[in-house]
Amino acid sequence: MQVEVRHGDCLEIAHELASGSTRLIYLDPPFLTQKTHRLRTRDRMREFSFDDLWNSHEDYARFLFPRLREFHRILADDGSIFFHCDRRASHIARTLLDRTFGQDNFRSEIIWHYRRWSNSQRILLPAHQTLYFYSKSEKYVFNQTYGDYSPSTNVDQILQRRRRDEHGKATYDRDDSGVIVTGSPKKGVPLCDVWDIPFLNPKAKERTGYPTQKPILLLERIIKLVTGPGDLVVDPFCGSGTTLVAAHLTGRKAIGIDISLDAVTLARERLANPEKTESPLLEAGRESYRTVDDDALALLNGLDCVPVQRNNGIDAILAENFQGRPVPVRVQRDHESMSEAAGALAKAGRTKYAALMVLVVTHRGGELPLGEALPTGVIAVDSPALQVREALRCRHHDVDQVLLRQEADA
Ligand SMILES: C[S@@+](CC[C@H](N)C(=O)[O-])C[C@H]1O[C@@H](n2cnc3c(N)ncnc32)[C@H](O)[C@@H]1O
């Protein structure tokens, strides 16, 4: 598929493109961060940077407005534009898009949500960016996609036909004999406007070292939503060329523009060898990373601790440290002997430099063989269920003893 990268100011290069030629424009311009973004490649051999410095909000708006007008011209009548921004410029972008494309052509505000770790500042941790989706007209290409129902969806909601009653309230439809009517097969839940897509991690295969590089997965989703095979996609601020790689992988034509020669060179190199990071998180869902099972978590209820996922030996870390080190906790599983559970905890705890580890013992099956001690630093505490079971067993034993004594005396 024809994909090319052009060097220069997107305002001038857009002049060269024919009116109505483009089905999708995706733009990820500087976000009004008031800084120079700089990053090195993993091998530290190359550094990329671009300026995001403005005299004022008006200055930023004055930069964008003529470009948006030009993008409007090259867009096909059934085409769409996606404007990527964050909290710093979203109000400016929305106003300019309303003016250029018309309020009636506003379609969606998409929240791209991702998880990140950061030191807490005196604001809420930013964990999303915004994409404004406008179309050029009422008639725009839109390929609806569907996802799975949430686990809490009632099966009746999926299977049964709904209708409005005389008060306009939605109810399950029934036939004349009062039997519920089965609806036509459902496709799933239409794609919503909050997109949970992981941010590129530092080790991701597709990471190029270009600052503010976006994930291919995000661009693929946008491209598939509003274009068809063979359509032209334009990215006027293409940076490392993410949109171009996504267009290539989905069989669309694409033109990328960037004012930085380094970006243009990088995007061309990337296109010669397009690489995409597969995301197990997306494929199997966030739940696939859960390793702490609910029964284990329930046993830790009331304990001041943080559950830990994606760790085979540790279920939680206590809120309180011991000797300045974290205190890992593990709940013994049904299939594990005490020795196996303690071993797994000790192994995982050592990698966290823990001096003390707590094993919650849930059953006596496979107790430590005589003479075998718990690994250094591991202490064992019985779960409440185990304590109750053992207390009851003791009582039964005591009662049996009394009865035996009475029988012997008789
Ligand atoms: C946020 S980055 C884009 C990152 C890109 N989406 C990616 O995934 O790598 C913004 C880009 O806009 C470019 N840029 C800034 N002003 C420009 C202009 N007037 N014309 C074209 N590109 C420009 C910068 O060089 C930078 O590469």
Side-chain angles (χ1 to χ4, degrees), residues 8-10 28-30 50 63 67 210 212-214 236-242 257-260 263:
D9 184 336
C10 56
D28 176 22
F50 68 87
F63 167 79
R67 287 168 178 78
Y210 199 79
T212 78
Q213 181 187 340
K214 305 298 179 297
F237 298 88
C238 75
S240 65
T242 308
I257 307 165
D258 206 286
I259 203 159
S260 147

Side-chain angles (χ1 to χ4, degrees), residues 17-126:
L17 304 179
S19 302
S21 57
T22 310
R23 188 86 65 208
L24 164 67
I25 295 171
Y26 163 84
L27 66 151
D28 176 22
F31 277 12
L32 190 55
T33 55
Q34 301 294 27
K35 62 178 186 189
T36 298
H37 293 266
R38 230 180 266 287
L39 208 61
R40 279 185 178 278
T41 50
R42 220 170 294 153
D43 60 10
R44 318 218 34 95
M45 299 297 279
R46 290 160 86 182
E47 184 182 84
F48 297 104
S49 69
F50 68 87
D51 286 337
D52 186 8
L53 302 162
W54 309 88
N55 294 323
S56 62
H57 284 199
E58 290 71 28
D59 185 26
Y60 182 72
R62 268 195 297 273
F63 167 79
L64 284 177
F65 191 48
R67 287 168 178 78
L68 286 178
R69 285 226 295 245
E70 197 52 19
F71 302 155
H72 184 267
R73 180 188 66 77
I74 64 169
L75 210 54
D77 283 344
D78 58 359
S80 300
I81 184 163
F82 281 66
F83 189 113
H84 198 141
C85 54
D86 75 4
R87 65 193 190 285
R88 282 164 287 212
S90 52
H91 57 302
I92 301 172
R94 181 85 191 256
T95 310
L96 294 177
L97 287 161
D98 272 352
R99 264 219 261 163
T100 321
F101 287 82
Q103 291 173 353
D104 291 346
N105 288 320
F106 165 71
R107 301 291 160 216
S108 295
E109 178 181 53
I110 298 159
I111 302 300
W112 169 32
H113 166 250
Y114 40 81
R115 308 212 171 198
R116 46 186 293 221
W117 298 97
S118 174
N119 292 331
S120 55
Q121 311 159 353
R122 282 175 61 78
I123 56 163
L124 301 177
L125 177 69

Side-chain angles (χ1 to χ4, degrees), residues 119-331:
N119 292 331
S120 55
Q121 311 159 353
R122 282 175 61 78
I123 56 163
L124 301 177
L125 177 69
H128 82 275
Q129 292 178 7
T130 306
L131 291 118
Y132 288 120
F133 163 23
Y134 282 70
S135 60
K136 187 159 176 181
S137 72
E138 288 253 293
K139 274 179 57 191
Y140 56 100
V141 174
F142 189 73
N143 309 312
Q144 182 64 276
T145 54
Y146 298 87
D148 291 340
Y149 291 100
S150 84
S152 60
T153 306
N154 182 330
V155 68
D156 293 342
Q157 290 172 297
I158 301 171
L159 297 178
Q160 294 169 6
R161 196 167 77 191
R162 312 251 277 171
R163 69 171 174 83
R164 303 241 162 231
D165 66 12
E166 60 276 22
H167 310 293
K169 196 166 163 262
T171 61
Y172 292 126
D173 201 5
R174 289 173 189 273
D175 64 16
D176 294 342
S177 45
V179 176
I180 289 219
V181 181
T182 306
S184 47
K186 305 275 195 306
K187 294 180 184 145
V189 184
L191 183 65
C192 77
D193 57 8
V194 178
W195 294 2
D196 216 343
I197 294 181
F199 215 86
L200 279 185
N201 73 56
K203 290 191 187 143
K205 221 167 42 161
E206 71 185 61
R207 184 177 269 288
T208 60
Y210 199 79
T212 78
Q213 181 187 340
K214 305 298 179 297
I216 294 177
L217 219 50
L218 176 72
L219 270 302
E220 277 182 338
R221 182 176 286 185
I222 296 170
I223 290 172
K224 286 183 192 162
L225 199 60
V226 293
T227 70
D231 282 348
L232 176 65
V233 177
V234 170
D235 182 343
F237 298 88
C238 75
S240 65
T242 308
T243 310
L244 311 180
V245 175
H248 168 79
L249 294 175
T250 52
R252 272 65 166 175
K253 287 186 272 194
I255 297 174
I257 307 165
D258 206 286
I259 203 159
S260 147
L261 191 55
D262 285 345
V264 169
T265 308
L266 174 66
R268 287 185 180 142
E269 287 168 5
R270 213 176 156 193
L271 279 168
N273 182 22
E275 275 204 293
K276 180 181 164 199
T277 310
E278 296 306 333
S279 168
L281 195 71
L282 270 190
E283 257 130 55
R286 219 169 263 294
E287 285 295 299
S288 67
Y289 275 156
R290 281 174 57 92
T291 52
V292 183
D293 66 48
D294 290 336
D295 291 346
L297 278 185
L299 276 178
L300 301 179
N301 223 343
L303 197 64
D304 199 0
C305 62
V306 182
V308 173
Q309 307 290 351
R310 302 172 66 185
N311 190 298
N312 285 330
I314 301 172
D315 290 323
I317 301 280
L318 284 194
E320 188 180 329
N321 284 345
F322 177 72
Q323 294 180 341
R325 313 253 185 91
V327 181
V329 182
R330 176 175 181 80
V331 176

